[in-house]
């Protein structure tokens, strides 16, 4: 079982270098970081978690910058987006950023993806919320072409480019982990993903989802569980469900408090 951490890295919490070193020193296998480019002040879209939107959502550092900093101070830590809002990102630019991260880190990049929930944020990027999932699909497929082909090209409804040169190439094709859990999530995982990245949520129901996905696939599909409460009973249930990696949720706090919390979390994964 692999254990990692999912978190929001902001200007008000521990820095990415200190965080990366602390995770590797304590035996964690991965770091997945959230992103939002901004949060519109006037917003009608409700926060999925209920209540007021936490301030970490509009204070996140850019995930590629965070993961690059963590890459240069670590040797083994997997460096993932959790999640990258693909409908808000240019696929040519993002493909280069991920490939550069993968090259610099020696093949340690992973790409958790999602369509996003904040409609006002999407609209500021020129993205139609109604077609964001089709857009995400094409952008992911286009990025795979850029990563794997010397002369990449893609022709779709939303993404269209003629043969191009784009380097660097990643050390290995970064795995795409599809976030969410809607009626079509498993379709996306099986068509263009390498694994599933659900939020911990209802743990008993999640076990059913893991079985359903793998039965549909007829094979073992990797499952990484995001934002898992650091509780023994939750971890035990996820292990019993057969997931491959558990990302414990790390609240965004100053360095001293974060390091103390990581010590407690390290004790949990060592049991």
């Amino acid at each position: 079982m692999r254990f990692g951490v999912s978190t929001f890295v902001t200007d008000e919490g521990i820095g990415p270098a200190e965080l990366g070193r602390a995770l590797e020193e304590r035996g964690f296998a991965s770091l997945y970081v959230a992103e939002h480019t901004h949060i519109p002040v006037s917003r009608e879209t409700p926060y999925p978690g209920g209540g007021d939107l936490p301030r970490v959502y509009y204070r996140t550092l850019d995930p590629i910058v965070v993961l690059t900093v963590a890459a240069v101070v670590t040797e083994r830590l997997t460096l993932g987006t959790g999640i990258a809002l693909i409908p808000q990102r240019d696929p040519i630019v993002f493909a280069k950023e991920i490939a550069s991260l993968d090259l610099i880190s020696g093949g340690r990049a992973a790409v958790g993806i999602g369509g996003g929930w904040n409609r006002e944020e999407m609209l500021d990027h020129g993205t139609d919320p109604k077609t964001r999932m089709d857009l995400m699909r094409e952008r992911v497929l286009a990025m795979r072409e850029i990563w794997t082909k010397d002369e990449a090209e893609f022709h779709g409804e939303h993404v269209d480019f003629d043969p191009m040169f784009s380097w660097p190439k990643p050390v290995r094709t970064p795995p795409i982990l599809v976030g969410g859990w809607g009626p079509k999530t498993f379709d996306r995982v099986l068509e263009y993903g390498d694994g599933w990245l659900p939020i911990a949520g209802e743990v008993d129901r999640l076990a059913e989802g893991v079985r359903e996905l793998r039965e549909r696939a007829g094979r073992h599909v990797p499952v990484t569980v995001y934002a898992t409460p650091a509780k023994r009973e939750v971890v035990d249930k996820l292990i019993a469900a057969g997931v491959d990696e558990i990302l414990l949720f790390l609240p965004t706090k100053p360095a001293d408090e974060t390091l103390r919390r990581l010590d407690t979390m390290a004790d949990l994964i060592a049991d």
Side-chain angles (χ1 to χ4, degrees):
M1 173 61 62
R2 283 169 54 91
F3 288 95
V5 158
S6 58
T7 191
F8 290 76
V9 176
T10 79
D11 60 319
E12 297 180 316
I14 189 171
E18 189 171 7
L19 176 59
R21 283 192 294 262
L23 290 173
E24 194 160 87
E25 288 169 357
R26 288 162 176 78
F28 289 94
S30 57
L31 168 63
Y32 282 73
V33 297
E35 76 156 338
H36 281 273
T37 56
H38 68 293
I39 297 295
V41 173
S42 177
R43 178 174 55 84
E44 296 181 3
T45 308
Y47 169 49
D52 295 333
L53 182 71
R55 64 189 284 121
V56 291
Y57 278 78
Y58 53 83
R59 300 195 75 112
T60 56
L61 277 61
D62 181 86
I64 303 304
V65 173
V66 169
L67 295 173
T68 300
V69 171
V72 299
V73 297
T74 59
E75 297 179 352
R76 301 176 302 279
L77 202 67
T78 295
L79 307 155
T81 57
I83 59 174
L85 296 170
I86 300 299
Q88 299 177 189
R89 284 187 166 271
D90 179 285
I92 299 172
V93 174
F94 195 48
K96 180 177 284 287
E97 290 176 333
I98 292 294
S100 299
L101 171 64
D102 196 70
L103 181 68
I104 289 170
S105 66
R108 291 187 280 141
V111 188
I113 66 166
W117 58 269
N118 191 330
R119 292 175 178 267
E120 288 76 22
E121 182 182 355
M122 297 173 210
L123 289 167
D124 284 350
H125 284 276
T127 295
D128 182 349
K130 295 179 180 178
T131 59
R132 71 188 187 280
M133 293 305 184
D134 291 337
L135 176 63
M136 180 170 74
R137 172 186 175 274
E138 289 193 7
R139 287 183 171 176
V140 170
L141 293 174
M143 289 192 299
R144 284 194 184 278
E145 291 294 305
I146 294 171
W147 289 334
T148 60
K149 302 291 177 59
D150 287 352
E151 296 185 19
E153 67 177 301
F154 190 89
H155 303 286
E157 180 181 354
H158 304 284
V159 180
D160 186 27
F161 53 80
D162 290 329
M164 66 163 69
F165 296 121
S166 178
W167 264 261
K169 301 299 182 187
V171 174
R172 47 136 203 185
T173 303
I176 300 291
L177 308 180
V178 180
W181 194 353
K184 297 183 178 180
T185 299
F186 292 170
D187 294 338
R188 299 181 188 112
V189 173
L190 297 177
E191 180 189 2
Y192 58 82
D194 300 296
W196 184 29
L197 184 66
I199 292 177
E202 299 176 29
V203 178
D204 294 333
R205 181 168 169 259
L206 185 60
E208 297 174 5
V210 172
R211 288 193 296 272
E212 178 187 344
L213 174 61
R214 290 172 177 166
E215 287 173 1
R216 282 187 55 182
R219 59 181 172 83
H220 182 93
V221 178
V223 177
T224 297
V225 183
Y226 183 84
T228 304
K231 298 179 179 179
R232 180 79 264 168
E233 62 271 22
V234 176
V235 168
D236 287 345
K237 286 185 176 181
L238 290 176
I239 292 173
V243 306
D244 300 272
E245 183 166 18
I246 296 172
L247 304 178
L248 300 176
F249 179 68
L250 178 67
T252 304
K253 299 292 182 181
D256 288 348
E257 185 174 347
T258 297
L259 296 177
R260 288 194 296 271
R261 189 179 294 265
L262 285 177
D263 286 337
T264 301
M265 293 164 63
D267 290 339
L268 172 64
I269 68 174
D271 291 343

